[in-house]
Every structure is written in C-alpha cells, then in structure tokens.
Amino acid sequence: MKFNIVPVIVFLAMSILVRAEDSLSGVKFVPLNSLTEAAVNQATEPASSSATSASYTAEALPQEDSVQTPYGLPRELMPLWDSLSIKQKAAQMVMVYLTSSQFIIENEIGGVLITGQHLRSAKRYLNTMAEIDSSLRIPLVVATDQEGGIVNRLASYSDTWRGVPSAQEMRRMDSTDIHSLANKIGSALKELKINMNLAPVLDPSKDSRGKNSFMEESRRSWGNDTTNAFKVRAFVKGMSENGVVCVSKHFPGYDSWTNSDHQIAVSSTPRAKIAKNVEFFKTLANDIPVTMMSSVSFVRISSRPAVFEPKIVKTARDMSPETVILTDDLWGVSLRAWISGNERVRSKNYPAKDFRKLVRTALMAGNDMFMITYSSKAVEMINYLAALSKQSKYYRQRIEESAARILKMKYRAGIIK
C-alpha cells in the first residue's frame, strides 16, 4: 500500500504556523502597503517630532494617519514650523507697541499694539503696516482696544466713531443690534489692518460685597454673570466676520478699585466669588480664542499677581487647551514693582536681573504671549527666551508650546493664509 505523505506535510506545517501565531499573539501585523507608508512618513517626519527609538516592533509601527505633528500643529503649518529657529519661535510670543517697520521686520515680532496715537496719523501708520506686510514672513497679530465707551481707539481715527456705545450700553441692546454694530466696527478695524480686538471685558459688574465694581463704574463690564453671554457672542461674531479676533479680559475677573497699571492692586475676593466670575470666561471660551490675564493679586489664592500665578493661569488654560493666554503690559509699574519688591519703581532704568526674572516668571506661569509697551525691551525679551531654551529642555518645550498655540490661532483666524 502506498503512503501519501502530502497530508502529513500539510498537517505539520499548519501546526507550526499555529504555534507561531500563539507565540506572537501580542504582535499586531500590518499590511505591506501600510508598512511602506509608515516608512515614508518616518523618513520625512521633522527632527522635532522624531521617535525616541530607531528600531520598531511590528506593534509600534505607525499606522496610516496616526503620525502626530508636534503640538497638534496643522500639517499645512509644518514647513513653516520646521524652518523656524527657537529665537524666531520666541519672537512669536511677543506683542510690542508699534514703532518702526524696520524694528518689527528685523526682530520678526509676533504681534503689535496699536493705540489712538497711531490712528491719528492713519496714513503714516498704514504705510508702516504695508512695509511690514510686504517683508514679514509670518503675518502679525495687530491688536487694539476697541471696547466702546471710554475705550474707543477708532475715535482717534475719525470723529464719525465718537459715541460708540460702551459694554454697559451694549448689554442693554438687542443681540441683533449688537451684531450689526460689531460688524461695522470690525469692518473699520479691518480697513486699518487690525485683526485683534482686546475686548470684550468679562470682569464682573459687582464686587464681592455686591457694590458696583471699577469696571462697572467705567461702563466697561458686560455684566455680573453669564446672563449676557449670548449678547457677547453677537459682539464676537460681528468682529470675526471681518477677520477680527476677540480677547476676553481680565482673567479671572478684575474687581479691585486700584488701577493695576500704576500700582500693585490687591483683591480679597473670596474663592467662591472668583469661581463665579470665572464662569463668564468659561462659558465663552469656545467663542473667544484669546484670554488676557489680570495683573491683580487675588490674595485668597496667592500673593502673586494673577498673570504670574501658575494656578490661576492653569485655570484659564483648563477652559480650553488651545486658548492663547496673553499678558497685560509687562512693563506696567505694578508688575515690575512686584518682581523687584519695590513699590517705587518708576524710571526706565529697570535692573536687568529683575527684567529677566519678570520674563521668566511670566513664562513659568504658563502665559503664551507677552505684551510690552517699551519696544527696546522686546528684543531683550526675545534674546532671553532663546537663552533659556538652551539652559533646559523644559524651557524650550514651554516656548514651543506657546509659539505653536499662537501660530494655530493665527491660522484658524485666517491671519496666516
């Protein structure tokens, strides 16, 4: 009788394969075309997001669409991101009072602050902006305070803009009328090359004792709680339809009667009231992509000014991870005085070591964009941030996180095309 060996061979082969599969049960096998795509992706992935190991197990191989960009940057921004030095990334974090076009271009500044003084000489200002636009690789954030009422920069540009309603007056208007007004204001800002409005003011209209706050008395507040959130949205929408980004301020809610621009301001507001004030900001966090920090010290939380207190900045960050956190003017007397421990700070001869401490404190607190009205100090700020990045990987990561948030905000807002 002939013995057919073929079935035996097949049986033995299948047994070997089964054992092999059992021993590799933790390994995820990938089709050849996916492996090829993964290899190409790995070869072209930028150095800043390269893997920590050169070898891969089958399970670790990246799948299609699984390769992440650094800091969640859109792929469209990756060529730009990869081309930037750490100093150029740090420069994106600086918003400075607009001086000459040459200064902005040479230092590749991320944002400029426009005041009534600029708009009173609109032709010269627009010529300056045209020079910057034609030379700067990354378009600027161009910001101004156009709240309405007593904070009305457009009134310096034209008398036709005098009498723009304050926030207090707008909150009594119908939301349709607010939207229409904001649309007209946004259109005027757009003509002036302004793409960021440092408004609305979400500071409470009442302090912790139930009395009118400083912001209410100056008619700048949009209310005491979230009641007017839908009206604020109408204001924000009118601006955004003209490519103007809004900024909520001053987190977590300015309720001190001291002007924090000129002297150290302290608030004894209880934590429960602070939490209530935060709700207005939180409710609108998905509508407003930038939040400005307060310079007031909320002593029930910390002796530090809010802008320097990591716990308070983190509260702002937790509302929306993509929110760009903006400081108020870091050259303000109160913040410099707090850093130095000297309330008599007045002159521009501020110690270099104190200025470095100020910048470092703002960075470590978690702020993304640093406003400063003393232009020459902006260069010092950029150079020091770049120097910090060489001292520690942590500093470098903080700078890159903030620069990435700013670039993403510019991209979403259409500032970067």
Side-chain angles (χ1 to χ4, degrees):
M1 182 177 72
K2 291 184 179 180
F3 181 75
N4 190 346
I5 197 169
V6 174
V8 176
I9 294 172
V10 171
F11 173 78
L12 290 172
M14 289 178 67
S15 298
I16 292 168
L17 282 172
V18 168
R19 290 192 184 97
E21 286 183 0
D22 288 343
S23 66
L24 295 174
S25 58
V27 178
K28 184 177 183 180
F29 288 93
V30 187
L32 181 60
N33 62 338
S34 295
L35 291 174
T36 307
E37 287 180 12
V40 171
N41 287 338
Q42 178 62 23
T44 58
E45 189 68 16
S48 59
S49 60
S50 60
T52 54
S53 173
S55 60
Y56 289 92
T57 63
E59 185 175 10
L61 281 166
Q63 304 297 297
E64 186 176 357
D65 296 328
S66 69
V67 179
Q68 299 296 311
T69 58
Y71 309 107
L73 283 159
R75 292 194 180 277
E76 293 84 353
L77 290 180
M78 285 311 301
L80 172 63
W81 179 259
D82 290 340
S83 71
L84 297 176
S85 67
I86 193 65
K87 185 175 180 180
Q88 289 169 319
K89 290 171 183 174
Q92 284 299 300
M93 296 173 62
V94 176
M95 177 185 287
V96 67
Y97 177 85
L98 177 64
T99 52
S100 69
S101 57
Q102 182 181 0
F103 177 84
I104 301 300
I105 294 164
E106 284 182 358
N107 294 291
E108 300 181 90
I109 301 291
V112 291
L113 180 66
I114 306 304
T115 66
Q117 185 176 349
H118 296 106
L119 300 183
R120 276 191 287 274
S121 304
K123 185 176 181 180
R124 182 170 64 184
Y125 156 73
L126 288 170
N127 286 338
T128 300
M129 290 306 302
E131 290 173 12
I132 293 170
D133 288 344
S134 64
S135 303
L136 205 61
R137 185 158 60 126
I138 303 176
L140 284 168
V141 161
V142 185
T144 198
D145 294 275
Q146 184 54 43
E147 299 172 17
I150 63 172
V151 184
N152 180 11
R153 302 296 182 239
L154 285 176
S156 298
Y157 170 58
S158 169
D159 287 342
T160 60
W161 288 104
R162 294 194 182 279
V164 173
S166 66
Q168 188 185 81
E169 292 166 316
M170 279 190 272
R171 75 186 196 219
R172 294 169 184 158
M173 293 165 54
D174 182 87
S175 60
T176 304
D177 294 333
I178 295 171
H179 173 262
S180 177
L181 174 62
N183 199 294
K184 291 174 183 175
I185 295 170
S187 178
L189 294 176
K190 183 178 181 180
E191 286 182 12
L192 291 166
K193 308 297 183 184
I194 294 169
N195 53 33
M196 180 176 283
N197 187 3
L198 303 176
V201 171
L202 300 186
D203 301 320
S205 58
K206 302 287 184 182
D207 64 18
S208 59
R209 299 165 298 174
K211 296 183 178 180
N212 283 354
S213 66
F214 170 74
M215 289 298 178
E216 177 69 359
E217 289 296 320
S218 57
R219 307 192 305 279
R220 297 172 63 189
S221 171
W222 276 88
N224 200 46
D225 52 34
T226 60
T227 302
N228 293 315
F230 74 104
K231 293 187 176 183
V232 176
R233 286 193 181 99
F235 178 85
V236 171
K237 184 180 179 183
M239 293 290 167
S240 65
E241 287 171 350
N242 290 279
V244 178
V245 173
C246 280
V247 178
S248 60
K249 62 184 186 184
H250 307 81
F251 192 90
Y254 191 124
D255 65 355
S256 169
W257 268 90
T258 306
N259 189 332
S260 62
D261 289 337
H262 304 303
Q263 62 188 95
I264 295 173
V266 175
S267 170
S268 59
T269 301
R271 283 174 174 263
K273 180 64 165 75
I274 295 171
K276 181 182 177 184
N277 295 341
V278 165
E279 282 303 309
F280 206 178
F281 290 86
K282 188 175 181 180
T283 299
L284 292 159
N286 291 330
D287 302 277
I288 305 175
V290 184
T291 294
M292 180 187 286
M293 297 301 299
S294 170
S295 299
V296 174
S297 296
F298 294 86
V299 293
R300 300 292 180 91
I301 297 176
S302 170
S303 61
R304 293 178 172 226
V307 68
F308 292 153
E309 174 48 59
K311 287 182 289 187
I312 298 179
V313 176
K314 184 179 183 301
T315 302
R317 170 80 60 229
D318 288 345
M319 296 188 306
S320 176
E322 294 299 328
T323 296
V324 171
I325 307 295
L326 172 68
T327 73
D328 209 334
D329 182 16
L330 291 178
W331 196 249
V333 171
S334 67
L335 295 180
R336 289 190 290 137
W338 188 87
I339 289 288
S340 298
N342 178 7
E343 290 190 26
R344 294 188 176 275
V345 171
R346 286 289 182 274
S347 71
K348 291 185 178 181
N349 297 321
Y350 191 60
K353 66 179 180 61
D354 288 351
F355 185 71
R356 290 193 295 271
K357 181 181 177 183
L358 182 148
V359 174
R360 190 171 63 252
T361 303
L363 179 71
M364 297 303 290
N367 297 283
D368 296 314
M369 202 164 200
F370 301 174
M371 181 193 293
I372 187 159
T373 53
Y374 189 11
S375 299
S376 63
K377 286 293 179 180
V379 180
E380 232 177 282
M381 185 180 281
I382 294 166
N383 289 337
Y384 183 55
L385 287 170
L388 283 175
S389 74
K390 296 176 182 177
Q391 292 180 19
S392 160
K393 289 182 180 179
Y394 177 77
Y395 285 132
R396 184 183 183 95
Q397 182 177 341
R398 271 292 301 111
I399 292 164
E400 289 196 331
E401 283 174 351
S402 291
R405 280 194 197 99
I406 293 162
L407 290 177
K408 284 187 282 186
M409 179 271 291
K410 287 184 174 184
Y411 181 70
R412 292 188 189 109
I415 297 170
I416 295 177
K417 304 297 183 183

